[in-house]
Amino acid sequence: MRFTGKRAVVTGAASGIGRATALRLAAEGATVLIGDIDDAGGAAVAAESDGRISFRHADVTDAAQIAALMNAAAAGGGIDLVVNNAGAGGAREGLAEIAPEDWDRTQALLLRSVALGMRYAAPLMSGRAGAAIVNISSVSAMGSGYAPVAYSTAKAGVLHLSRLAAADLAKHGIRVNAVVPGFIVTNIFTSAVGVPPAQVDTVKGMIAAGAAQAQPVARAGRPEDIAAAVTFLLSDEASFVTGTHLLVDGGMLVGTRPSWDPDAPGMMSALDAFR
Ligand code: NAI
């Protein structure tokens, strides 16, 4: 019960990582306001929570809706904890094809939303004991091959923004950190390519099977894995931790599969006959 009496906001919590985080915060005593564009999903998460979670429609690409979400969470008190999590795959085109408005739309969803989440939450968190923010980045911030370029660039921005915010908001007594998820089986992959609802569970099962092979830890990453890291960084156990990130990727960034799996064909296997 690390969050008894705390008031929290989680964006994008109708599904996946945000949902698991909101449920974990509520299970440990927090009162949580979740914001999402998925009204049915948001209401369903609220219904799972014994009244500790409430839902408000909030599109994080709209500054006024972010401000309204934060103000609603603070009504009758302040805000203690914020998780800027909402996201989607964004534009998939490469740099030689992407339209300017698609680039902007992706940055607004994944990077500007995080900046504005902090912008509107910070004055409502200022000076509250244990105030903390966690922003969700991605392994795609660390290199190519994990996600499209517009998404990956935005997630790299989230990492640096989180470091700068830790310094900028220190005078308000707010800690800021990022969590860097690896491959976590959620709806983000099926919604990015528009898998029809009737096929989502089947396709997610196939994705989970692949995800179990993607990194040294031989199982698929789960939303609860990320929720555990997020809630650690939000908790007073992390009261001396700010301006950094926690990588939760099952070891994915350790290296390519041949670097840790002796049975995988090496990238230089063409040379094997000559060794
Ligand atoms: P998800 O698709 O299960 O959940 C994302 C949620 O964000 C959904 O409920 C969706 O409705 C909401 N959302 C989308 N656009 C929104 C908007 N404009 N305003 C408000 N809410 C909006 O996906 P997941 O995986 O839980 O994603 C959560 C975060 O984790 C995202 O920022 C994502 O980029 C990040 N992430 C996910 C990884 C993965 O492997 N699943 C890896 C690295 C980062």
Side-chain angles (χ1 to χ4, degrees):
M1 298 299 284
R2 292 174 293 178
F3 305 110
T4 302
K6 300 286 188 184
R7 301 158 66 96
V9 177
V10 185
T11 67
S15 171
I17 291 167
R19 171 183 171 275
T21 302
L23 289 171
R24 181 75 186 261
L25 286 167
E28 293 203 46
T31 302
V32 188
L33 181 61
I34 62 174
D36 205 293
I37 50 173
D38 175 358
D39 294 337
V45 173
E48 284 184 68
S49 72
D50 284 343
R52 287 203 174 279
I53 299 178
S54 45
F55 169 71
R56 181 187 173 97
H57 182 95
D59 182 342
V60 298
T61 63
D62 181 336
Q65 293 189 39
I66 299 174
L69 178 72
M70 299 305 173
N71 288 333
I79 303 174
D80 300 295
L81 312 169
V82 170
V83 184
N84 289 303
N85 163 79
R92 299 209 301 276
E93 295 83 0
L95 277 178
E97 299 88 26
I98 194 164
E101 56 274 22
D102 291 338
W103 180 270
D104 288 349
R105 186 172 46 79
T106 303
Q107 304 310 315
L109 173 62
L110 294 168
L111 178 55
R112 193 183 80 139
S113 62
V114 175
L116 295 183
M118 294 193 284
R119 161 66 186 89
Y120 293 116
L124 305 166
M125 302 174 77
S126 184
R128 290 175 74 88
I133 296 171
V134 170
N135 301 320
I136 305 299
S137 178
S138 159
V139 286
S140 67
M142 310 290 194
S144 71
Y146 300 105
V149 65
Y151 177 101
S152 305
T153 303
K155 291 299 190 178
V158 169
L159 262 193
H160 196 52
L161 173 63
S162 300
R163 281 195 289 269
L164 296 174
D168 190 77
L169 298 179
K171 58 185 173 293
H172 298 284
I174 303 170
R175 292 185 302 107
V176 184
N177 292 288
V179 166
V180 180
F183 188 178
I184 309 299
V185 180
T186 69
N187 292 332
I188 199 166
F189 305 104
T190 46
S191 46
V193 298
V195 174
Q199 293 172 45
V200 164
D201 284 346
T202 309
V203 176
K204 270 178 88 174
M206 294 160 67
I207 292 172
Q213 304 297 316
Q215 64 278 307
V217 175
R219 68 164 173 81
R222 298 188 280 256
E224 291 75 16
D225 295 318
I226 307 305
V230 171
T231 51
F232 164 68
L233 288 169
L234 291 176
S235 78
D236 289 341
E237 291 177 277
S239 61
F240 203 54
V241 181
T242 195
T244 190
H245 64 270
L246 184 48
L247 180 62
V248 187
D249 71 341
M252 178 175 268
L253 287 189
V254 164
T256 58
R257 185 163 192 118
S259 73
W260 50 266
D261 180 354
D263 298 326
M267 291 161 71
M268 304 294 266
S269 57
L271 298 180
D272 286 352
F274 302 95
R275 291 188 207 279

